[in-house]
């Protein structure tokens, strides 16, 4: 019936029927509001989303929101955008997922496009140059602080340290893509965490062991909720991985410049585990190899993507505009978000059912250290664009501030840009 929402796995239909069900326009308006006010990205936006959807609107229960947030961080792309797409999928099917996802992204995409237009029209003026330099320096500190936070939360075993180190080396030395590194981490988790653990249990079943460390999700190290049961429930046909259509996108014959850009950003979006920062090393190498923009313009794109509301992946909008104007911005935005949205539609409900199974938890134990390595590579790649001691000092101050205090990263960016501009005006 159309009067009630489809109950999520484990939820009683009667419980859902007593709660208000959002209409599609209401869900889109709520998503647009979150996209307009979603400064800071990451878990801060999920906190705002919890307040709106659970506390104020009562569309979701606390348990349903926990499942939604968990699933959203298991997939590439922005956690908040994925969570809204999954919420839309629950209430209105694929149309609800697309509407919520697009409404959340639209405010930031419009803002980034407007800033890109000013950037192209006015150029980097003598006044704007130090401001952007300060923003870029603060972003380096922000990425480094998130990396340290995830390192403490997610890398607790020697093999996880090896995965993080290998990802860092391959990303910087071999220009490996984020998707390749994510696959490496997942494979390592399945083999080293799940396979070795089962062999050890078979040999030393009666030996007392320390409990395993908690599983961290690849978005700022947020812990995966503990399994609801000690043992995995028996597998059912519904728990089999859904079959995804083959992507015949290995090459783009005769599609031209916009087609090549679309493919590049589609692949980048599919590797954006833990958010947009993870794809920076490979994306930077790719766009510089195409001679679309220079290193400083890429750093400006990352800063603008972080400064504006919405996912950091909106840096693709900025790059697209610099290369091909409005058409490039539209194509790059659609391409970079298409992959994550397709995965939410295809496997979101399945992940909600199997999120506590041992193979999934083992895969996450390998994936999250890989994201840590990608984040470290991103900090180093962006750090190469810094010039002079002042910018290095701003990056270090931003890192220390975020490690020591709970401060919105956007405020840290604004202070970094302001300080650099003031010092420039003072002749320093």
């Amino acid at each position: 019936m159309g009067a009630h929402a489809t109950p999520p796995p484990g939820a009683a239909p009667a419980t859902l029927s007593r709660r208000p069900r959002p209409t599609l326009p209401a869900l889109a308006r709520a998503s647009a509001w979150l996209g307009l006010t979603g400064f800071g990205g990451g878990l801060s936006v999920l906190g705002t989303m919890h307040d709106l959807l659970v506390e104020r609107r009562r569309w979701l229960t606390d348990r349903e929101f926990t499942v939604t947030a968990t699933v959203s961080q298991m997939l590439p792309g922005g956690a908040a955008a994925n969570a809204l797409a999954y919420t839309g999928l629950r209430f209105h099917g694929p149309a609800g997922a697309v509407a919520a996802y697009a409404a959340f992204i639209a405010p930031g995409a419009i803002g980034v496009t407007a800033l890109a237009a000013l950037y192209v029209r006015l150029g980097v003026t003598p006044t704007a140059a130090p401001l952007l330099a300060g923003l870029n320096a603060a972003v380096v500190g922000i990425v480094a602080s998130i990396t340290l936070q995830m390192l403490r939360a997610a890398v607790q075993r020697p093999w996880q340290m090896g995965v993080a180190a290998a990802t860092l080396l391959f990303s910087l030395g071999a220009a490996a893509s984020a998707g390749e590194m994510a696959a490496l981490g997942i494979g390592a988790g399945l083999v080293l965490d799940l396979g070795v653990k089962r062999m050890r249990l078979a040999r030393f079943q009666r030996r007392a062991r320390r409990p395993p460390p908690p599983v961290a999700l690849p978005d700022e190290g947020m812990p995966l909720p503990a399994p609801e049961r000690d043992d995995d429930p028996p597998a059912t046909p519904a728990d089999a991985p859904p079959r995804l259509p083959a992507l015949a996108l290995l090459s783009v014959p005769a599609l031209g410049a916009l087609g090549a850009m679309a493919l590049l950003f589609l692949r980048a979006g599919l590797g954006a585990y833990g958010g947009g920062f993870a794809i920076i090393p490979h994306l930077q190498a790719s766009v510089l190899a195409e001679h679309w923009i220079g290193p400083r313009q890429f750093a400006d794109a990352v800063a603008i993507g972080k400064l504006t509301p919405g996912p950091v992946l909106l840096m693709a909008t900025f790059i697209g505009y610099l290369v091909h104007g409005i058409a490039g911005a539209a194509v790059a935005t659609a391409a970079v978000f298409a992959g994550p949205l397709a995965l939410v539609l295809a496997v979101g409900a399945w992940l909600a059912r199997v999120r506590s199974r041992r193979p999934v938890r083992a895969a996450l134990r390998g994936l999250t250290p890989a994201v840590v390595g990608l984040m470290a590579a991103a900090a180093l790649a962006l750090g190469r664009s810094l010039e002079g001691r002042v910018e290095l000092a701003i990056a270090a101050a931003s890192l220390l501030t975020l490690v020591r205090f709970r401060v919105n990263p956007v405020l840290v960016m604004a202070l970094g840009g302001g300080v650099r501009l003031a010092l420039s005006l003072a002749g320093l």
Side-chain angles (χ1 to χ4, degrees):
M1 294 290 185
H4 302 295
T6 302
T15 303
L16 264 173
S17 64
R18 291 194 295 266
R19 296 202 315 274
R21 179 181 189 270
T23 64
L24 187 59
L27 180 62
R29 286 194 297 270
S31 300
W33 173 253
L34 289 168
L36 187 64
T37 59
F39 291 93
L43 302 183
S44 63
V45 182
L46 286 179
T48 305
M49 189 183 304
H50 179 275
D51 178 68
L52 178 63
L53 302 185
V54 178
E55 302 294 336
R56 294 165 56 188
R57 302 291 177 88
R58 300 189 181 278
W59 292 342
L60 300 174
T61 65
D62 278 315
R63 181 179 178 277
E64 290 164 351
F65 184 83
T66 299
V67 172
T68 299
T70 301
V71 170
S72 71
Q73 295 174 80
M74 289 180 171
L75 296 171
N82 289 347
L84 284 169
Y86 183 72
T87 302
L89 184 66
R90 291 183 68 254
F91 288 110
H92 296 286
V98 174
Y101 201 81
F104 177 74
I105 293 167
I110 294 171
V112 170
T113 302
L115 290 174
L118 289 174
Y119 187 93
V120 171
R121 182 175 297 271
L122 301 179
V124 183
T125 64
T127 302
L131 177 64
L132 288 171
L135 295 176
N136 295 335
V139 167
V140 174
I142 291 170
V143 177
S145 70
I146 297 174
T147 304
L148 290 177
Q149 178 182 339
M150 293 182 66
L151 184 67
R152 290 194 295 262
V155 182
Q156 303 182 19
R157 294 175 174 178
W159 69 266
Q160 291 178 311
M161 299 177 188
V163 169
T167 303
L168 173 61
L169 292 176
F170 284 129
S171 298
L172 292 180
S177 68
E180 293 169 339
M181 293 298 94
L184 172 67
I186 291 172
L190 290 173
V191 172
L192 298 175
D193 187 78
L194 184 62
V196 173
K197 182 184 296 184
R198 287 185 173 179
M199 289 190 297
R200 187 179 301 160
L201 286 174
R203 294 177 57 192
F204 306 104
Q205 189 170 6
R206 297 182 181 180
R207 178 178 296 183
R209 298 178 296 110
R210 292 183 299 175
V215 181
L217 292 165
D219 197 306
E220 302 185 24
M222 181 180 180
L224 178 72
E228 297 175 8
R229 300 181 181 180
D230 293 334
D231 297 322
D232 292 337
T236 65
D239 292 333
R243 294 183 179 180
L244 298 177
L247 294 177
L249 292 170
L250 298 180
S251 62
V252 195
L255 288 184
L258 285 176
M261 174 178 285
L263 179 59
L264 189 151
F265 282 112
L266 175 63
R267 289 172 171 167
L270 287 171
Y273 286 94
F277 288 133
I279 65 173
I280 284 176
H282 184 257
L283 182 61
Q284 183 184 46
S286 298
V287 299
L288 294 184
E290 296 288 343
H291 304 289
W292 288 346
I293 57 176
R296 195 71 187 197
Q297 289 175 310
F298 183 87
D300 293 341
V302 176
I304 295 298
K306 183 62 177 176
L307 183 64
T308 50
V312 180
L313 285 173
L314 287 170
M315 60 183 166
T317 307
F318 191 90
I319 297 171
Y321 189 93
L322 295 189
V323 181
H324 292 297
I326 290 290
V331 168
T333 304
V336 79
F337 290 108
L341 175 59
L343 288 176
V344 173
L345 293 172
V347 303
W350 173 73
L351 278 177
R353 290 193 298 270
V354 304
R355 67 190 185 281
S356 295
R357 295 186 181 277
R358 289 188 183 123
V360 175
R361 299 173 73 85
L364 285 174
R365 283 199 175 100
L367 172 62
T368 307
V371 173
V372 172
L374 290 169
M375 297 285 286
L380 293 174
L382 291 175
R384 294 170 181 169
S385 67
L386 300 183
E387 299 176 355
R389 296 180 180 177
V390 173
E391 294 179 21
L392 291 173
I394 291 174
S398 301
L399 168 61
L400 294 175
T401 299
L402 291 169
V403 168
R404 181 64 180 84
F405 304 103
R406 294 178 61 88
V407 183
N408 191 311
V410 174
L411 177 60
V412 174
M413 286 185 64
L415 289 174
V419 168
R420 185 66 184 91
L421 178 60
L423 291 175
S424 176
L425 295 176
L428 299 176

